[in-house]
């Protein structure tokens, strides 16, 4: 590649374009929202209880107050400031207040174990942590485990100050009260670090992904494409996916970028609370992991309620079950859009938008494609490699390691020793996938969860998705157990719906004909609990620890 100031072979100097140097920094997104969509509302279910309303203009002013406060507290360019908070307008103000001044907003996941949260805060070197009343007792009790943290700001007012809180605890409303609602933002390179998010740590120690302003800005533009999330100013967007989980899939950037109305569920993500916000705020689009939608559908069944006005739900984080896609369409006319991504990809990597050819098909024939994780948008490239690094065909059947490349994809981890990309710039996602002739990628497993039987691979995800469709099943999970002859064989774990009973044979008959015969689980166990990890995915590590010594009848 010819670099700036260098001369190409043959003597031609690189010619630069003559357009403006306009660093792609995220403060410009909120500036834009305040200036052009100032009255558009942001509604939050507050941690204190009531539903509170604000707008982009007010959020902008308060975010600038946060910047002033941080500067007074000694935060400088590049310093890390943590947030351990629900999705609320306050949290958005804090994000922009931190990022706008060139500090790094580090979202901490409260669903992790306290030791892990404090380990991550300390590893990141967080100076200050903004937190909700919900997490303040846990954080304050464990603060000694993260010596880098000097102050804790609680996102509430003096009336809610926890008893006995020391001098290092500041209440948010007191912190920003009376400060100017204008402050200088930006003025630094678009390559400046902007956000930090640690991976869920299902594969060893959590690793920090350090987003730049440029990568977040480009991710915003990528997700705004019609065939991606495609928000509009007219949308009312309910962001259930937490801001601490891979940047709420970019919605805290893309909503202000287009001036959409934002609806934030705060601490309540149960079916009734979500349904109330959806109805009262005329929500048109929402995004969350499958378990949230399962809870909502169960609530609607139990309460005999319906959904109106909702047009699309974006589902990702784990594979979307067929029953959800069908239910939303048949009962409410809502399109489920299945997406794949990871913390390392900002997060959106692929999305199962229908192509012109598929759009012509009846809904039933579209289903196999809607259940896949989809195709990459411009700016993201994917490919499949085998273990020797050979590129695999797009035939919809050959499994391979999913590799991803682009300006929104990690190059190396925070404080990591080396780059984590191959010679051609691709990052190994750790997912195993197929890509079909229409370009639709399908995740078959995490590399470490795939079941290796007789030299071939069995997709645990595929079996569990089908099993979860059994009318009596609430959740299903499949793990591989060691087997002397085959290397590994699948064990199916099923949590039944309350009050239901079923036999091993019921489940196996249900799978028959839907999967290859040799994929049939060697045994079925009915369990009371299928644990979910901190980002709503089935915790296979824990399941292997719990059931790893189960004796298969085929042994
Ligand atoms: P995280 O970084 O916590 O968001 O986890 C990323 C991982 O979640 C990916 O590498 C996949 O294994 C999994 N994942 C994300 N989206 C999907 C999806 N739509 N279907 C199946 N697995 C998914």
């Amino acid at each position: 590649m010819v670099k700036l100031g260098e001369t190409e072979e043959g003597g031609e100097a690189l010619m630069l374009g003559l357009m403006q140097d306009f660093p792609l920094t995220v403060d410009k997104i909120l500036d834009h929202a305040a200036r052009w969509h100032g009255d558009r509302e942001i509604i939050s279910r507050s941690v204190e209880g009531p539903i509170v309303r604000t707008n982009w203009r007010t959020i902008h002013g308060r975010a600038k107050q946060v910047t002033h406060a941080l500067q007074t507290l000694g935060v400088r360019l590049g310093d890390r400031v943590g947030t351990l908070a629900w999705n609320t307008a306050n949290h958005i103000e804090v994000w922009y207040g931190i990022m706008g001044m060139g500090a790094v907003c580090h979202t901490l996941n409260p669903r992790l174990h306290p030791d892990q949260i404090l380990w991550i805060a300390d590893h990141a070197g967080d100076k200050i942590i903004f937190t909700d009343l919900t997490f303040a007792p846990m954080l304050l009790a464990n603060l000694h485990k993260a010596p880098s943290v000097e102050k804790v700001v609680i996102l509430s007012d003096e009336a809610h100050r926890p008893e006995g809180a020391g001098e290092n605890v500041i209440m948010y409303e007191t912190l920003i009260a009376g400060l100017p609602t204008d402050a200088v933002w930006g003025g630094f390179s678009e390559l400046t670090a902007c956000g930090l998010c640690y991976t869920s740590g299902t594969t060893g120690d959590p690793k920090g992904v350090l987003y730049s302003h440029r990568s977040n800005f480009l991710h915003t533009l990528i997700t705004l494409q019609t065939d991606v999330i495609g928000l509009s100013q007219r949308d009312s967007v309910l962001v259930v996916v937490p801001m601490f989980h891979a940047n709420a899939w970019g919605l805290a950037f893309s909503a202000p970028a287009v001036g959409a109305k934002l609806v934030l569920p705060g601490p309540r993500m149960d079916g009734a609370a979500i349904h109330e916000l959806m109805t009262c705020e005329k929500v048109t689009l929402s995004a969350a992991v499958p378990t949230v939608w399962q809870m909502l559908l169960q609530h609607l069944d139990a309460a005999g309620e319906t959904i109106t006005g909702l047009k699309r739900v974006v589902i990702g984080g784990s594979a979307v079950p067929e029953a959800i896609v069908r239910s939303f369409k048949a009962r409410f006319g809502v399109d489920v859009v299945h997406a794949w991504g990871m913390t390392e990809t900002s997060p959106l990597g692929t999305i199962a938008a229908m192509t012109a050819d598929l759009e012509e098909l009846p809904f039933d024939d579209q289903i196999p494609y809607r259940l896949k994780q989809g195709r990459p948008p411009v700016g993201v490239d994917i490919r499949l490699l085998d273990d020797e690094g050979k590129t695999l065909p797009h035939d919809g059947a050959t499994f391979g390691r999913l590799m991803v490349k682009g300006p929104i994809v990690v190059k190396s981890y925070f404080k990591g020793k080396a780059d984590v990309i191959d010679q051609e710039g691709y990052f190994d996602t750790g997912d195993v996938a197929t890509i079909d002739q229409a370009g639709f990628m399908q995740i078959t497993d995490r590399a470490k969860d795939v079941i290796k039987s007789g030299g071939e691979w069995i997709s645990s995800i595929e079996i569990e998705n089908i099993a979860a469709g059994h009318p009596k099943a609430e959740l299903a999970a499949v793990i591989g157990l060691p087997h002397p002859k085959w290397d590994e064989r699948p064990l199916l774990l099923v949590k039944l719906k309350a009050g239901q009973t079923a036999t091993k044979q019921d489940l196996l008959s249900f799978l028959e004909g839907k999967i290859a015969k040799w994929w049939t689980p060697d045994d079925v166990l009915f369990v009371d609990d299928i644990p979910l990890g901190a980002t709503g995915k089935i915790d296979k590590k824990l399941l292997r620890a719990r059931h790893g010594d189960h004796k298969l009848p085929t042994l």
Side-chain angles (χ1 to χ4, degrees), residues 383-386 388-394 424:
R383 66 177 185 178
L384 292 182
L385 292 185
D386 69 10
E388 276 77 53
K390 202 169 90 260
T391 308
L392 294 171
H394 292 187
E424 288 173 60

Side-chain angles (χ1 to χ4, degrees), residues 109 197-202 209 211 245-246 249 289-290 315-320 337-345 347 350 371-374 402 427 429-432 441-449 461 465 534-537:
N109 182 345
C197 182
Y198 280 67
T199 58
S200 31
T202 40
V209 180
Y211 308 102
H245 184 197
W249 304 349
V289 295
I315 306 189
S318 348
V320 58
V337 188
H338 189 196
W340 165 87
M342 53 197 313
T343 309
E344 286 90 336
T345 61
T350 62
L371 294 178
K372 295 190 180 192
Q373 281 73 10
L402 178 66
F427 168 73
T429 61
D431 284 328
V432 175
M441 183 273 287
Q442 182 163 32
I443 301 281
T444 46
D445 245 318
R446 288 295 295 166
K448 62 185 172 23
D449 294 336
I461 294 188
N465 279 349
T535 50
K537 300 183 219 303

Side-chain angles (χ1 to χ4, degrees), residues 360-409:
E360 302 285 314
L361 300 178
F363 186 71
D364 275 351
D365 297 345
Q366 293 175 353
I367 285 277
Y369 296 93
R370 291 184 177 272
L371 294 178
K372 295 190 180 192
Q373 281 73 10
R375 295 149 46 91
V378 65
V380 180
D381 191 26
I382 56 170
R383 66 177 185 178
L384 292 182
L385 292 185
D386 69 10
D387 284 341
E388 276 77 53
K390 202 169 90 260
T391 308
L392 294 171
H394 292 187
D395 59 8
T398 313
F399 290 23
R401 291 184 160 272
L402 178 66
M403 312 291 291
V404 60
K405 176 178 177 169
I408 59 167
V409 179

Side-chain angles (χ1 to χ4, degrees), residues 28-40 55-61 185 256 259:
K28 294 187 170 98
I29 295 178
L30 195 62
D31 283 348
H32 173 84
R35 194 141 175 238
W36 298 103
H37 308 281
D39 294 329
R40 199 73 170 124
N55 60 31
W56 288 119
R57 187 178 305 106
T58 309
I59 285 204
H60 182 258
W185 276 354

Side-chain angles (χ1 to χ4, degrees), residues 246-266:
N247 297 320
W249 304 349
L251 290 164
F253 298 116
S254 52
V258 296
K261 171 174 165 180
L262 206 54
V263 184
L264 302 167

